[in-house]
Amino acid sequence: MLRPWAAHWITAVLLCRAVAQYSSDQCSWRGSGLSHESHRRDVEQVYLRCSQGSLEWLYPIGAIIVNLRPNTESSSAHMAGLHVCIKPYTYSQGSHVYLEHAGDLRLLLAERDQAHGTVHCFSLAEGALFVEAIPQTDISRRITTFQYELVPSQGPGAHMYPFLHPGAVTCKPCSDEELLMAVCTSDFAGSGIFRGVASGTNGHSSAVVTLSRLFHQKSRVFAWGGARGRSWSGHVNIPSQCGVHPGEDEYLLTGSVHFGEAWLGCAPRYKDFLKLYTGAQKVGTNPCQIDTD
């Protein structure tokens, strides 16, 4: 709901749209409020067109609108299925972050909450990010900075990422089709066991895993080493309500990487996956080939 004090901001956005400033690589933006300190009601436009990146606003003054879009041509249906997730750095301060859509502002992240570094997600169709500087006499050492990602809300294991749909995480097993797709399309896929689980924050736990096979991975979240250098090891985040059983069966572990951390997706027992994979291979329905030996 638009508050009375915000009317001036929206008028500025709709009528003059201020001066656009583009990032050099269109993935990340770095700017300073000092560049328009004499125009404290300026609304600056920022356009970012990558699947992930960051924003750093030094000495915040006025406001900026951050327009996020994928770097490929997308259908309206695909766009509707995309979510934006932002993660503030714990030292971020000096601004409130809102969602702006058709002249309405909705608070997404207050300044006091940014120190927690918690991920917040919203549908790309809900609007743009409106970052408003908090008026203050001393702006020294004030920096608003966060990372962002564009995340599909559908696909193998998407139901396990707790920030997409807060309070609606389900631990249901993936379907046969989802499992076969997860091996191909997930950010990581391998087979291994859970070594232990430690309590985390924000409704998830961190599991230590050892992989005897690693089919592929993104961002090197698993390191080669382990006992006699014959395995990969790392940590995987799991929603707290989804239990795991350390030291028992071998599992196929797939999932996604968000802000440098691995999140578990589809994870059947490896022997069950092998049976499914072998059957699909015989009838030629495997979406991709992996070395299961």
Side-chain angles (χ1 to χ4, degrees), residues 243-285:
V244 299
H245 306 286
E248 295 185 4
D249 293 331
E250 183 179 18
Y251 291 85
L252 172 74
L253 302 178
T254 68
S256 54
V257 176
H258 300 293
F259 304 111
E261 296 184 340
W263 289 84
L264 190 66
C266 300
R269 287 182 172 81
Y270 189 62
K271 62 182 180 181
D272 295 333
F273 163 73
L274 277 182
K275 183 178 179 180
L276 171 66
Y277 181 83
T278 302
Q281 196 169 29
K282 288 180 180 179
V283 297
T285 58

Side-chain angles (χ1 to χ4, degrees), residues 20-33 35-36 44-48 53-58 64 66 144-146 148:
Q21 179 172 343
Y22 294 82
S23 62
S24 59
D25 61 6
Q26 297 205 8
C27 294
S28 299
W29 179 87
R30 187 173 190 266
S32 172
S35 61
H36 54 80
E44 188 168 0
Q45 293 281 344
V46 173
Y47 296 88
L48 299 175
S54 63
L55 178 140
E56 185 179 47
W57 193 19
L58 307 173
I64 59 177
V66 185
T144 295
T145 180
F146 57 80
Y148 75 88

Side-chain angles (χ1 to χ4, degrees), residues 81-137:
L82 281 178
H83 278 64
V84 178
C85 296
I86 66 171
K87 182 178 183 180
Y89 288 92
T90 55
Y91 56 85
S92 180
Q93 57 182 316
S95 300
H96 298 311
V97 181
Y98 299 85
L99 279 178
E100 184 272 322
H101 180 70
D104 289 332
L105 294 180
R106 176 166 65 87
L107 183 63
L108 181 70
L109 190 60
E111 182 196 36
R112 65 178 179 274
D113 299 324
Q114 296 177 35
H116 302 305
T118 302
V119 175
H120 293 262
C121 300
F122 60 93
S123 170
L124 190 60
E126 291 184 66
L129 289 173
F130 186 93
V131 187
E132 177 213 15
I134 300 172
Q136 49 200 324
T137 56

Side-chain angles (χ1 to χ4, degrees), residues 203-221:
H204 68 268
S205 303
S206 178
V208 179
V209 299
T210 298
L211 305 178
S212 56
R213 303 173 187 83
L214 183 61
F215 304 129
H216 61 84
Q217 69 168 325
K218 173 184 177 181
S219 303
R220 299 182 181 274
V221 290

Side-chain angles (χ1 to χ4, degrees), residues 167-234:
V169 169
T170 61
C171 306
K172 66 179 181 64
C174 293
S175 66
D176 290 351
E177 181 180 353
E178 287 175 328
L179 285 177
L180 293 174
M181 286 300 300
V183 174
C184 305
T185 63
S186 295
D187 292 338
F188 64 87
S191 65
I193 61 175
F194 295 101
R195 291 292 186 186
V197 181
S199 298
T201 58
N202 300 314
H204 68 268
S205 303
S206 178
V208 179
V209 299
T210 298
L211 305 178
S212 56
R213 303 173 187 83
L214 183 61
F215 304 129
H216 61 84
Q217 69 168 325
K218 173 184 177 181
S219 303
R220 299 182 181 274
V221 290
F222 299 104
W224 174 253
R228 300 181 182 178
R230 297 178 181 176
S231 61
W232 289 262
S233 60

